[in-house]
Amino acid sequence: MAKKPHTAARIADNKKAAYNYFFEERFEAGLVLEGWEVKSLREGKVQLTDGYVVIRNGELFVIGLQINPLNTASTHISPDKVRTKKLLMHKEEIKRLIGKVEQKGYTLVPLNLHWKAGKVKIDIALAKGKAEHDKRDTIKDREGKREVERAMKDRNR
């Protein structure tokens, strides 16, 4: 029996990120996790909306990524659900990101967690914060799309 190739399966999305930021570039990074965290991710017990990425000593870390432990977690460990997790990227990419993040108004935001070839990956974006009027425009566009979809749905009935 032939094995099926792995497909990228979503674990969690940061839906607030598109509302709060304009995305300049997207990057994919690996994530250093403990065993209990991987098991919790398989169950979907993760919250990404409060997460953000920082650069310390030339390394990337994600802070605020909350992975809730399972009730069946081992008794000899004490899981920390908001532990700072290290991101894995090539040095050249990190150096490029450091230069861009130092520019005024740019930050690194986690977008989603997904499986890729049996490993957990995180998509991060180089982003610039939206002003309040930009956020209102986003809401207005979203409402307009909903109205069009409703009209098309009613028309097709």
Side-chain angles (χ1 to χ4, degrees):
M1 185 191 276
K3 279 188 168 181
K4 293 182 181 177
H6 281 81
T7 58
R10 296 269 170 136
I11 300 170
D13 287 315
N14 186 355
K15 294 178 183 173
K16 269 184 147 178
Y19 176 72
N20 291 325
Y21 299 98
F22 292 116
F23 303 138
E24 300 288 324
E25 283 185 77
R26 292 172 185 251
F27 301 92
E28 184 178 69
L31 204 55
V32 177
L33 297 172
E34 295 178 357
W36 68 268
E37 292 172 322
V38 176
K39 289 179 181 181
S40 293
L41 287 177
R42 289 187 198 282
E43 297 294 321
K45 296 189 174 278
V46 61
Q47 188 258 346
L48 192 60
T49 53
D50 295 334
Y52 59 97
V53 179
V54 296
I55 300 172
R56 294 184 190 147
N57 301 325
E59 296 180 331
L60 297 175
F61 295 92
V62 65
I63 297 174
L65 170 63
Q66 184 175 333
I67 301 175
N68 295 314
L70 297 173
N71 293 336
T72 59
S74 178
T75 56
H76 66 278
I77 59 164
S78 55
D80 180 14
K81 63 182 179 180
V82 289
R83 179 180 72 87
T84 300
K85 294 151 191 71
K86 184 177 179 181
L87 299 181
L88 305 172
M89 289 179 76
H90 292 282
K91 252 182 201 175
E92 297 80 31
E93 287 181 314
I94 294 173
K95 286 178 185 175
R96 210 170 100 223
L97 280 175
I98 290 171
K100 291 187 177 187
V101 168
E102 288 174 351
Q103 293 177 13
K104 187 177 180 193
Y106 284 100
T107 186
L108 292 170
V109 180
L111 299 178
N112 68 47
L113 285 171
H114 60 275
W115 296 102
K116 185 173 182 182
K119 308 247 188 297
V120 177
K121 301 289 183 176
I122 185 169
D123 284 339
I124 60 174
L126 180 67
K128 194 165 196 157
K130 285 185 180 178
E132 197 62 40
H133 66 277
D134 293 327
K135 292 179 183 179
R136 285 193 292 267
D137 291 342
T138 303
I139 293 171
K140 191 169 147 183
D141 292 342
R142 184 174 58 217
E143 293 297 323
K145 286 179 185 175
R146 283 187 188 158
E147 289 294 325
V148 169
E149 287 176 10
R150 279 191 206 119
M152 293 299 288
K153 187 176 178 182
D154 290 340
R155 184 174 173 233
N156 289 337
R157 283 187 182 179

